[in-house]
Amino acid sequence: METVIWVVIAAIILIIAVVLVRTITFGEKHRVASDTPLPEVNAERFVQSLSEAVQCQTISYGEGTIPEGSTLEQLQAVLKKRYPLVHQSLQLEKVNEYGLLYTWHGSNPDLKPVLFSAHQDVVPVDPSTLNAWTRQPFGGEVADGYLWGRGSLDMKCQLVGVLDAVETLLAGGMKPERTIYLAFGHDEEVGGIQGAGHIAALLKERGIQLAALWDEGINILVGALPGVEGPVGLVGAAEKGYMTVEFKVDGKPGHASTPPPQTAIGILSAAMAKLEANPLPVNLGIMQKMMRSVAHLLQFSLRMAFANLWLFGGMVRKKLEASEQTAAAIRTTTAVTVISGGVKDNILPHQATAYVNFRIYPGQTTDDVLAHIKRVVADERVQFKPVPTACWNPVKSSPTDIPFYAQLQAAIQNTFNNVPVAPFMMVAATDSRHYAPISDAVYRFSPYVADSAELKRLHGIDERISLEALEKMLEFFIRLMRSWSR
C-alpha cells in the first residue's frame, strides 16, 4: 500500500511539473518593430475619393450575378479621375470585362511578385431598413467624424486605400524592386468567380507564382479574445471552407384530415434538428496557436489552460463554446438557413426543402461534412446534395515564420501603437481563396480598430468608418507596400 501511495504522489508531482514547464514555455516573445519615416499623406484626398466611391451603387444582389455594368463603370471612372499617377504609371488590364488588374513593374524580375486584393462590389441595403439609417446608404456623407455609407467598411475603404497608398508612393518617387499587383474583382459578395476567379486564372495561365498576398480579413479587435481586454491585431492566416447543402424530402399529397405518421415537412424538420443537435467535433489547434502569440497578456490560469489542453481541454472548450464568435472559430459550423414546404394548411405537402450552410474548419473537407450528414441524419427518405456554386474546401494555412508575415506584423504594430499581433482564421469567405493555388503566403487583415458593436454595421444599418481610421489605414498600406516591394 505504501508503494502505491508513493507512486501516486510521484505521478502527481510529475503532472504538476509538466503543467508548469508547458505553461512557462508557452508563448512567443513580444517584439517591438522598427519603423522608418512615412511620406506625407493626403488624408483629405483619401476621404473624398472614398466618398465618391461609396456613391457608386455597385451592388451584388445574388449568386451568379454581378453588379450592373454602369455602376462598375462609374466607380472605375472615379478611380481613374482621383488617382492619375496610378493610371499613368501602372499597367491596367480589364479582366472578364469589369475586373481590374494593375501591374506596378518591379526592377528585379528574379523576385516573385506580391498582390493586394480588394473588391468593387457591395451588398444590398434592405429597403425595409431605410428609415433606420442615420445617413443615406449611398450618400458617402462625411459627418460627425465619420464617412457614412454602404461599402465604407466593406470594403471600398481598403480598395481606395490601396490606390491612395500607391499614388502617395509614386509621388515620392518610389520604384519597387518587386512587381506589385493590385487585383480588384467585382463580385466577391456573391462568390468572386467572375472577378477574382478570372484574375487568378489569368495569372496562373501566365505562370505567375506570388510571394505573398494581402486581402481583407480580420481587423484589430477590442475585447474579443478570452482573457485579453485590450486590442489585438488578428491576421487571417487560414480560411474556412464553405458548403451549402440542399435537402429534399418527397411526400404524398392528400387531405390533411388523414395524414401519415410524418409528413415531408416533419421528416425534414427531424433531420434538421438532428444536424443542429450533433455538430461536427471541436478542434482547438488554431485557437491555441493564436493564444500562444498573445500568451504574455494572459493571466497565469488561462495561460496554463491553453498550454495544457491535454488536461484542461474540456474546460477551455466549454468557455469558448459559450460565445457564438469563439464557438465558430473552433469547429465546422452548421446553420439551417432556408426551409420551405406546403401550399395550404389543409393539404399534405408533396415536397419539403431546406438549405444548410456549413463553414468548414481547416483539416476537414466537403466530403467529410457530407459523410457527417449521412451518419447523423441516417434517413434514406432525406435526399441531400451540395449546391455546386457554393461548395469549396478550406484554404490551407499560411506560414507565420517567414519575412512577409513579419513585415505585415511590423506594419500593423507601427501603425497601431505596437498592438500585439496573432495569426487566426477567417470564418467568412474572401476573394483570397481564388489566389491560394498561386501563393503559399495568403494573409487576410483589415487595418482598422473595431469593437463588436461597430462590426455589426458590416452588411448592416449605418455602415460607417471614422476619419481617424482612414488615416491609419492609409499609413498601414504605405508601410506594408514599402516592405513587400523589396
Side-chain angles (χ1 to χ4, degrees), residues 83-92 102-105 166-167 170-171 174:
Y83 297 109
L85 291 181
V86 170
H87 290 84
Q88 292 168 18
S89 304
L90 275 63
Q91 176 188 347
L92 172 59
Y102 293 85
T103 304
W104 192 1
H105 291 287
V166 176
E167 188 85 0
L170 284 169
M174 177 175 141

Side-chain angles (χ1 to χ4, degrees), residues 164-233:
D164 211 297
V166 176
E167 188 85 0
T168 301
L169 292 169
L170 284 169
M174 177 175 141
K175 296 180 180 179
E177 293 181 51
R178 187 187 304 275
T179 292
I180 298 174
Y181 291 112
L182 315 179
F184 304 148
H186 54 282
D187 66 333
E188 189 274 346
E189 297 292 359
V190 290
I193 295 172
Q194 300 301 319
H198 278 256
I199 296 172
L202 177 63
L203 293 174
K204 184 176 182 180
E205 182 183 313
R206 292 175 176 174
I208 302 298
Q209 185 69 24
L210 301 172
L213 180 143
W214 168 88
D215 196 6
E216 65 175 325
I218 320 172
N219 55 301
I220 297 174
L221 295 177
V222 180
L225 302 185
V228 182
E229 295 182 0
V232 177

Side-chain angles (χ1 to χ4, degrees), residues 152-171:
S152 57
L153 272 176
D154 185 13
M155 67 166 296
K156 285 180 178 174
C157 61
Q158 295 169 79
L159 183 154
V160 175
V162 166
L163 287 172
D164 211 297
V166 176
E167 188 85 0
T168 301
L169 292 169
L170 284 169

Side-chain angles (χ1 to χ4, degrees), residues 2-3 58 95-96 109 118 145 171 183 194 205 210 216 218 232 268 294 302 318 320 323 326 346 384 410 473:
E2 185 176 345
T3 301
T58 52
V95 181
N96 197 22
Q194 300 301 319
E205 182 183 313
L210 301 172
E216 65 175 325
I218 320 172
V232 177
L268 184 62
V294 296
L302 196 56
K318 185 176 181 180
L320 295 176
S323 161
T326 51
N346 64 350
F384 61 92
M473 183 177 293

Side-chain angles (χ1 to χ4, degrees), residues 1-279:
M1 178 63 71
E2 185 176 345
T3 301
V4 173
I5 292 173
W6 281 111
V7 169
V8 171
I9 292 173
I12 293 172
I13 293 173
L14 179 61
I15 290 173
I16 292 173
V18 169
V19 167
L20 289 175
V21 169
R22 290 177 66 91
T23 302
I24 293 169
T25 58
F26 183 74
E28 300 171 0
K29 186 177 180 181
H30 182 59
R31 295 178 174 83
V32 178
S34 60
D35 197 15
T36 55
L38 289 175
E40 184 177 351
V41 300
N42 188 340
E44 185 177 344
R45 178 185 62 201
F46 183 16
V47 171
Q48 183 58 39
S49 300
L50 179 57
S51 173
E52 293 186 28
V54 168
Q55 293 171 52
C56 305
Q57 299 186 33
T58 52
I59 302 168
S60 286
Y61 285 101
E63 299 295 331
T65 67
I66 65 170
E68 187 177 323
S70 61
T71 65
L72 291 165
E73 290 168 356
Q74 180 190 8
L75 173 62
Q76 293 172 13
V78 167
L79 302 179
K80 185 175 181 179
K81 177 189 73 173
R82 298 296 301 178
Y83 297 109
L85 291 181
V86 170
H87 290 84
Q88 292 168 18
S89 304
L90 275 63
Q91 176 188 347
L92 172 59
E93 298 173 82
K94 299 284 186 74
V95 181
N96 197 22
E97 194 168 3
Y98 296 112
L100 302 178
L101 177 62
Y102 293 85
T103 304
W104 192 1
H105 291 287
S107 60
N108 186 348
D110 294 331
L111 297 176
K112 289 182 180 180
V114 294
L115 186 147
F116 289 77
S117 170
H119 59 87
Q120 305 170 60
D121 61 324
V122 298
V123 296
V125 173
D126 184 346
S128 67
T129 68
L130 284 174
N131 290 337
W133 282 72
T134 304
R135 309 281 172 177
Q136 288 296 314
F138 292 98
E141 293 182 60
V142 178
D144 304 325
Y146 292 89
L147 193 153
W148 302 73
R150 178 64 84 228
S152 57
L153 272 176
D154 185 13
M155 67 166 296
K156 285 180 178 174
C157 61
Q158 295 169 79
L159 183 154
V160 175
V162 166
L163 287 172
D164 211 297
V166 176
E167 188 85 0
T168 301
L169 292 169
L170 284 169
M174 177 175 141
K175 296 180 180 179
E177 293 181 51
R178 187 187 304 275
T179 292
I180 298 174
Y181 291 112
L182 315 179
F184 304 148
H186 54 282
D187 66 333
E188 189 274 346
E189 297 292 359
V190 290
I193 295 172
Q194 300 301 319
H198 278 256
I199 296 172
L202 177 63
L203 293 174
K204 184 176 182 180
E205 182 183 313
R206 292 175 176 174
I208 302 298
Q209 185 69 24
L210 301 172
L213 180 143
W214 168 88
D215 196 6
E216 65 175 325
I218 320 172
N219 55 301
I220 297 174
L221 295 177
V222 180
L225 302 185
V228 182
E229 295 182 0
V232 177
L234 297 179
V235 175
E239 183 174 305
K240 279 189 168 185
Y242 186 107
M243 181 167 64
T244 294
V245 179
E246 178 190 45
F247 291 79
K248 183 172 68 174
V249 175
D250 293 322
K252 292 183 178 180
H255 202 284
S257 62
T258 55
Q262 278 186 301
T263 67
I265 293 175
I267 295 168
L268 184 62
S269 299
M272 298 300 99
K274 287 179 182 178
L275 287 173
E276 289 188 328
N278 296 276

Side-chain angles (χ1 to χ4, degrees), residues 423-434:
F424 202 39
M425 172 184 63
M426 280 293 292
V427 298
T430 69
D431 267 344
S432 65
R433 66 185 173 86
H434 295 288

